[in-house]
Amino acid sequence: MAQVLKGHLHGEDMRIGIVVARFNEHITSKLLEGALEGLKSHGVASSDIVVVWVPGSFELASIAERLAQQGDFDAVICLGAVVKHETDHYYYVATEAARGIASVARESEVPVIFGVLTCENDQQALERAGGKEGNKGTDAALAAIEMANLLKLVDELR
Ligand code: INI
């Protein structure tokens, strides 16, 4: 019979790093609230959560990399909100944030989670930061716990 592995959502005894962008803080603070709520409701103690604010989404990956390298965290969550404006600046920020986080995630021993909204306008972003589309910060928190548990199971296969 096939062996099937699934990560569970028990976060007890986990230490989680959150890197959050200050740009569009009216949105990212809500993503952070959602993430903290998601972690705590799944057993992660407040004292085991470290939150690091960075200027914008472009800076998320470099701090996530440092946290992931410390070996002290079970997962690192990146939170940001990139919103389209008149110029195409947002495009470069969103692309590099995604590329940077994906690269850190692949090279890290622990999960690094992409909780960055990329939206047409503020309304779309707010709907996904505790509005009618839920809170992507909470989703990111649950993905972090699931992936941290899954990684342990996968490593046990060795
Ligand atoms: N940073 C964001 O997090 N969201 C944005 O929408 C955004 N836009 O559109 O400019 C943004 N820019 C700042 C960027 O992340 C860096 O902090 C800045 O370029 C300094 O490196």
Side-chain angles (χ1 to χ4, degrees), residues 38-76:
L39 292 175
K40 287 178 205 162
S41 64
H42 287 81
V44 182
S46 299
S47 53
D48 285 327
I49 302 171
V50 175
V51 178
V52 184
W53 285 90
V54 295
S57 295
F58 189 83
E59 283 75 33
L60 290 168
S62 53
I63 297 297
E65 184 173 34
R66 295 296 179 100
L67 292 180
Q69 280 170 352
Q70 284 184 8
D72 232 12
F73 293 95
D74 294 287
V76 178

Side-chain angles (χ1 to χ4, degrees), residues 46-116:
S46 299
S47 53
D48 285 327
I49 302 171
V50 175
V51 178
V52 184
W53 285 90
V54 295
S57 295
F58 189 83
E59 283 75 33
L60 290 168
S62 53
I63 297 297
E65 184 173 34
R66 295 296 179 100
L67 292 180
Q69 280 170 352
Q70 284 184 8
D72 232 12
F73 293 95
D74 294 287
V76 178
I77 300 169
C78 298
L79 300 175
V82 185
V83 179
K84 196 169 175 180
H85 293 286
E86 299 84 57
T87 71
D88 57 3
H89 182 68
Y90 81 98
Y91 167 79
Y92 294 97
V93 174
T95 304
E96 290 310 319
R99 210 195 312 252
I101 293 166
S103 158
V104 174
R106 277 193 302 272
E107 284 157 24
S108 298
E109 295 279 315
V110 296
V112 178
I113 303 298
F114 183 70
V116 180

Side-chain angles (χ1 to χ4, degrees), residues 18 20 27-37 51 53 79 137:
I18 302 179
V20 55
I27 301 164
T28 61
S29 59
K30 291 184 190 298
L31 292 175
L32 178 60
E33 265 173 40
L36 292 172
E37 212 175 277
V51 178
W53 285 90
L79 300 175

